[in-house]
Structure formats: C-alpha cells, structure tokens
Coordinates of all heavy atoms in Angstrom, one line a residue:
Q1 N 117.3 -107.5 142.0 CA 117.8 -106.2 142.2 C 118.9 -105.8 141.3 O 119.0 -104.7 140.8 CB 118.2 -106.0 143.6 CG 118.5 -104.5 144.0 CD 119.0 -104.4 145.5 OE1 119.3 -105.4 146.1 NE2 119.0 -103.2 146.0
S2 N 119.8 -106.8 141.0 CA 120.9 -106.5 140.1 C 120.5 -106.2 138.7 O 121.2 -105.5 138.0 CB 121.9 -107.7 140.2 OG 121.3 -108.8 139.5
L3 N 119.3 -106.7 138.3 CA 118.8 -106.4 137.0 C 118.5 -104.9 136.7 O 118.6 -104.4 135.6 CB 117.6 -107.2 136.7 CG 117.8 -108.6 136.2 CD1 116.4 -109.4 136.1 CD2 118.4 -108.6 134.8
I4 N 118.2 -104.2 137.8 CA 117.8 -102.8 137.6 C 118.9 -101.9 138.3 O 118.7 -100.7 138.4 CB 116.4 -102.5 138.2 CG1 116.4 -102.9 139.7 CG2 115.3 -103.2 137.4 CD1 115.1 -102.5 140.4
S5 N 120.0 -102.5 138.7 CA 121.1 -101.7 139.3 C 121.8 -100.8 138.3 O 122.0 -101.2 137.2 CB 122.1 -102.7 139.9 OG 123.3 -102.0 140.3
H6 N 122.0 -99.6 138.8 CA 122.8 -98.7 137.9 C 124.2 -99.2 137.6 O 124.8 -98.9 136.6 CB 122.8 -97.3 138.5 CG 123.6 -97.1 139.7 ND1 125.0 -96.8 139.7 CD2 123.4 -97.3 141.1 CE1 125.5 -96.7 140.9 NE2 124.5 -97.1 141.7
N7 N 124.7 -99.9 138.6 CA 126.1 -100.5 138.4 C 126.1 -101.5 137.2 O 127.0 -101.5 136.4 CB 126.6 -101.2 139.6 CG 126.9 -100.2 140.8 OD1 127.3 -99.1 140.5 ND2 126.6 -100.7 142.0
T8 N 125.1 -102.3 137.1 CA 125.0 -103.2 136.0 C 124.7 -102.5 134.7 O 125.3 -102.8 133.7 CB 123.8 -104.2 136.2 OG1 123.9 -104.8 137.5 CG2 123.8 -105.3 135.2
L9 N 123.9 -101.4 134.8 CA 123.6 -100.6 133.6 C 124.9 -100.0 133.1 O 125.2 -100.0 131.9 CB 122.6 -99.6 133.9 CG 122.2 -98.6 132.8 CD1 121.6 -99.4 131.6 CD2 121.2 -97.6 133.3
E10 N 125.7 -99.4 134.0 CA 126.9 -98.7 133.6 C 127.9 -99.7 133.0 O 128.6 -99.5 132.0 CB 127.6 -98.0 134.8 CG 126.8 -96.8 135.3 CD 127.3 -96.3 136.6 OE1 128.4 -96.8 137.0 OE2 126.7 -95.4 137.1
A11 N 128.0 -100.9 133.6 CA 128.9 -102.0 133.0 C 128.4 -102.4 131.7 O 129.2 -102.7 130.8 CB 128.9 -103.2 134.0
A12 N 127.1 -102.5 131.4 CA 126.6 -102.9 130.1 C 126.9 -101.9 129.1 O 127.3 -102.2 128.0 CB 125.1 -103.1 130.2
I13 N 126.7 -100.6 129.4 CA 127.0 -99.5 128.4 C 128.5 -99.5 128.1 O 129.0 -99.4 127.0 CB 126.6 -98.2 129.0 CG1 125.1 -98.1 129.1 CG2 127.1 -97.0 128.1 CD1 124.5 -96.9 129.8
H14 N 129.3 -99.7 129.2 CA 130.8 -99.7 129.0 C 131.2 -100.9 128.1 O 132.0 -100.7 127.2 CB 131.5 -99.9 130.4 CG 133.0 -100.0 130.3 ND1 133.8 -98.9 130.0 CD2 133.8 -101.1 130.4 CE1 135.1 -99.4 129.9 NE2 135.1 -100.6 130.2
Q15 N 130.6 -102.0 128.3 CA 130.9 -103.2 127.5 C 130.6 -103.0 126.0 O 131.3 -103.4 125.1 CB 130.2 -104.5 128.0 CG 130.5 -105.7 127.2 CD 130.2 -107.0 128.0 OE1 130.8 -107.2 129.1 NE2 129.3 -107.8 127.5
L16 N 129.4 -102.4 125.8 CA 129.0 -102.1 124.4 C 130.0 -101.1 123.7 O 130.1 -101.2 122.4 CB 127.6 -101.6 124.3 CG 126.5 -102.7 124.7 CD1 125.1 -102.0 124.7 CD2 126.5 -103.9 123.8
N17 N 130.6 -100.3 124.5 CA 131.4 -99.2 123.9 C 132.9 -99.6 123.8 O 133.7 -98.9 123.2 CB 131.3 -97.9 124.7 CG 130.0 -97.3 124.5 OD1 129.4 -97.3 123.4 ND2 129.5 -96.6 125.5
Q18 N 133.3 -100.8 124.3 CA 134.7 -101.1 124.3 C 135.0 -102.2 123.3 O 134.1 -102.9 122.8 CB 135.2 -101.6 125.7 CG 134.7 -103.0 126.1 CD 135.2 -103.5 127.4 OE1 134.7 -104.5 127.9 NE2 136.2 -102.9 128.0
K19 N 136.2 -102.3 122.9 CA 136.6 -103.4 122.0 C 136.5 -104.7 122.7 O 136.8 -104.8 123.9 CB 138.0 -103.2 121.5 CG 138.2 -101.9 120.7 CD 139.7 -101.7 120.3 CE 139.9 -100.4 119.5 NZ 141.4 -100.2 119.2
K20 N 136.2 -105.7 122.0 CA 136.0 -107.0 122.6 C 137.2 -107.5 123.4 O 137.1 -108.0 124.5 CB 135.6 -108.1 121.6 CG 135.3 -109.5 122.3 CD 134.7 -110.5 121.3 CE 134.4 -111.8 122.0 NZ 133.9 -112.8 121.1
A21 N 138.4 -107.2 122.8 CA 139.6 -107.7 123.4 C 139.8 -107.1 124.8 O 140.5 -107.7 125.7 CB 140.8 -107.4 122.5
D22 N 139.3 -105.9 125.0 CA 139.5 -105.2 126.3 C 138.7 -105.8 127.4 O 138.9 -105.5 128.6 CB 139.1 -103.7 126.1 CG 140.1 -103.0 125.2 OD1 141.2 -103.4 125.1 OD2 139.7 -101.9 124.6
G23 N 137.7 -106.6 127.0 CA 136.8 -107.2 128.0 C 137.1 -108.7 128.2 O 136.3 -109.5 128.7
M24 N 138.3 -109.1 127.7 CA 138.7 -110.5 127.7 C 139.8 -110.7 128.8 O 140.4 -109.8 129.3 CB 139.1 -111.0 126.4 CG 138.0 -110.9 125.3 SD 136.6 -111.9 125.6 CE 137.2 -113.5 125.3
F25 N 140.0 -112.0 129.1 CA 141.0 -112.4 130.1 C 142.4 -112.5 129.5 O 142.6 -112.7 128.3 CB 140.6 -113.7 130.7 CG 140.4 -114.8 129.7 CD1 141.4 -115.6 129.3 CD2 139.2 -115.0 129.1 CE1 141.3 -116.6 128.4 CE2 139.0 -116.0 128.1 CZ 140.0 -116.8 127.8
A26 N 143.4 -112.3 130.4 CA 144.8 -112.6 130.0 C 144.9 -114.1 129.9 O 144.6 -114.8 130.9 CB 145.7 -112.0 131.0
P27 N 145.5 -114.7 128.9 CA 145.5 -116.1 128.7 C 146.1 -116.9 129.8 O 145.7 -118.0 130.2 CB 146.3 -116.3 127.4 CG 146.1 -115.0 126.6 CD 146.0 -114.0 127.7
K28 N 147.2 -116.4 130.4 CA 147.9 -117.0 131.5 C 147.4 -116.5 132.9 O 147.9 -117.0 133.9 CB 149.4 -116.9 131.4 CG 150.0 -117.8 130.3 CD 150.1 -119.2 130.8 CE 150.8 -120.1 129.8 NZ 150.9 -121.5 130.2
G29 N 146.6 -115.5 132.9 CA 146.1 -115.0 134.1 C 146.9 -113.8 134.6 O 147.6 -113.2 133.9
S30 N 146.7 -113.5 135.9 CA 147.4 -112.4 136.5 C 148.9 -112.5 136.4 O 149.5 -113.6 136.4 CB 147.0 -112.3 138.0 OG 145.6 -112.0 138.1
G31 N 149.6 -111.4 136.3 CA 151.1 -111.4 136.2 C 151.6 -111.7 134.9 O 152.8 -111.9 134.7
S32 N 150.7 -111.8 133.9 CA 151.2 -112.2 132.5 C 152.1 -111.2 131.9 O 153.0 -111.6 131.1 CB 150.0 -112.4 131.6 OG 149.1 -113.4 132.0
A33 N 152.0 -109.9 132.3 CA 152.9 -108.9 131.7 C 154.2 -108.7 132.5 O 155.0 -107.8 132.1 CB 152.1 -107.6 131.6
I34 N 154.4 -109.4 133.6 CA 155.6 -109.2 134.4 C 156.8 -109.7 133.7 O 156.9 -110.8 133.1 CB 155.4 -110.0 135.7 CG1 154.3 -109.4 136.6 CG2 156.8 -110.0 136.5 CD1 154.1 -110.1 137.9
D35 N 157.8 -108.9 133.6 CA 159.2 -109.3 133.1 C 159.9 -109.9 134.2 O 160.6 -109.2 135.0 CB 159.9 -108.0 132.6 CG 161.2 -108.3 131.9 OD1 161.7 -109.5 132.1 OD2 161.8 -107.4 131.3
Y36 N 159.8 -111.2 134.4 CA 160.3 -111.9 135.6 C 161.9 -111.9 135.5 O 162.5 -112.0 136.6 CB 159.8 -113.3 135.7 CG 160.0 -114.3 134.6 CD1 161.2 -115.0 134.6 CD2 159.2 -114.4 133.6 CE1 161.4 -116.0 133.6 CE2 159.4 -115.3 132.5 CZ 160.6 -116.1 132.6 OH 160.8 -117.0 131.6
K37 N 162.5 -111.8 134.4 CA 163.9 -111.8 134.3 C 164.4 -110.5 134.9 O 165.5 -110.4 135.6 CB 164.4 -111.9 132.9 CG 164.1 -113.3 132.3 CD 164.7 -113.5 130.9 CE 164.4 -114.9 130.3 NZ 164.9 -116.0 131.1
K38 N 163.7 -109.4 134.7 CA 164.0 -108.1 135.3 C 163.9 -108.2 136.8 O 164.7 -107.6 137.5 CB 163.2 -107.0 134.7 CG 163.4 -105.6 135.2 CD 162.5 -104.6 134.5 CE 162.8 -103.2 135.1 NZ 161.9 -102.2 134.5
C39 N 162.8 -108.8 137.2 CA 162.6 -108.9 138.7 C 163.7 -109.7 139.4 O 164.0 -109.5 140.5 CB 161.2 -109.7 138.9 SG 159.8 -108.8 138.3
A40 N 164.3 -110.7 138.7 CA 165.3 -111.5 139.2 C 166.7 -110.9 139.2 O 167.6 -111.4 139.9 CB 165.4 -112.9 138.5
A41 N 166.8 -109.8 138.6 CA 168.1 -109.1 138.5 C 168.6 -108.6 139.8 O 167.8 -108.1 140.6 CB 168.1 -108.0 137.4
A42 N 169.9 -108.6 140.0 CA 170.4 -108.2 141.3 C 170.2 -106.7 141.6 O 170.1 -106.3 142.7 CB 171.9 -108.4 141.4
D43 N 170.0 -105.9 140.5 CA 169.8 -104.5 140.7 C 168.4 -104.1 140.5 O 168.0 -102.9 140.3 CB 170.6 -103.7 139.6 CG 170.3 -104.1 138.2 OD1 169.5 -105.0 138.0 OD2 170.7 -103.4 137.2
Y44 N 167.4 -105.1 140.7 CA 166.0 -104.7 140.6 C 165.7 -103.7 141.7 O 165.9 -103.9 142.9 CB 165.2 -106.0 140.7 CG 163.7 -105.7 140.7 CD1 163.1 -105.3 139.5 CD2 162.9 -105.8 141.8 CE1 161.7 -105.0 139.4 CE2 161.5 -105.5 141.8 CZ 160.9 -105.2 140.6 OH 159.6 -104.9 140.5

C-alpha cells in the first residue's frame, strides 16, 4: 500500500526537487545547532 501512497509520492517528488544536503542527517544528531554556552548563561 505504501508503494501507491500519495504520501510516498509527495515525499519522492520533494526529494527530487531538494538539494541533497537538505535530505541528510545532522552529523551529531539532534541539538547540533544549540549554543550550549548561551543556554548555560545566568541570564538565559
């Protein structure tokens, strides 16, 4: 059923239209963009 799903079709079209880097993972995973020094500041 997933082979003929419109959700899969939309995802396929989206993938073909995006840059490869946009469909890739963050090297360290979730939270990679967090500025943890800012989070640790007393005035956060």
Side-chain angles (χ1 to χ4, degrees):
Q1 185 180 17
S2 69
L3 272 172
I4 58 173
S5 166
H6 71 89
N7 291 326
T8 310
L9 178 61
E10 290 173 7
I13 294 172
H14 177 74
Q15 180 160 298
L16 291 178
N17 287 328
Q18 73 176 169
K19 297 178 181 178
K20 184 174 181 179
D22 294 334
M24 299 299 287
F25 54 92
K28 286 285 186 180
S30 296
S32 295
I34 292 175
D35 183 348
Y36 63 89
K37 294 187 182 298
K38 180 180 179 181
C39 298
D43 61 350
Y44 179 70

